[in-house]
Amino acid sequence: MITNEEYMELKVLRKHRLSLREISVQTGMAVNTVRKYLEGGPPAMKKLPACKSKLDPFKDYLAGRIQAAKPDWIPATVLR
């Protein structure tokens, strides 16, 4: 799968009237890959589920400690 930047590069090169073969030489992709992305549109981005963190149960406590210490700063080792 290609990135959006690579897809945009393909579109720009095609607007400059380069052939599929010339685009494939410049980008290092196969001709069929260039054709696939130019005809099919931009790559679809998958929506990843939110990951749980080990700190999730303690986030309210840590935010409270940081707010209580303002304008001073509490190092992470002290919060630990």
Side-chain angles (χ1 to χ4, degrees):
M1 182 186 277
I2 64 172
T3 64
N4 283 335
E5 291 82 18
E6 292 170 328
Y7 173 72
M8 293 306 295
E9 180 184 3
L10 293 177
K11 296 294 276 187
V12 168
L13 292 173
R14 191 62 173 171
K15 282 202 181 249
H16 288 294
R17 299 199 176 269
L18 276 90
S19 68
L20 294 178
R21 185 174 210 164
E22 291 170 332
I23 294 172
S24 70
V25 168
Q26 284 189 13
T27 60
M29 295 181 196
V31 175
N32 288 339
T33 304
V34 172
R35 181 182 297 116
K36 176 178 93 171
Y37 284 113
L38 287 176
E39 291 174 358
M45 301 300 287
K46 292 181 181 178
K47 185 72 174 179
L48 297 177
C51 295
K52 293 179 80 175
S53 169
K54 289 182 180 181
L55 292 178
D56 281 345
F58 308 103
K59 283 189 177 183
D60 293 333
Y61 170 76
L62 293 171
R65 286 285 308 265
I66 292 170
Q67 285 295 89
K70 285 199 175 187
D72 294 326
W73 173 73
I74 301 177
T77 54
V78 174
L79 288 173
R80 183 172 182 256

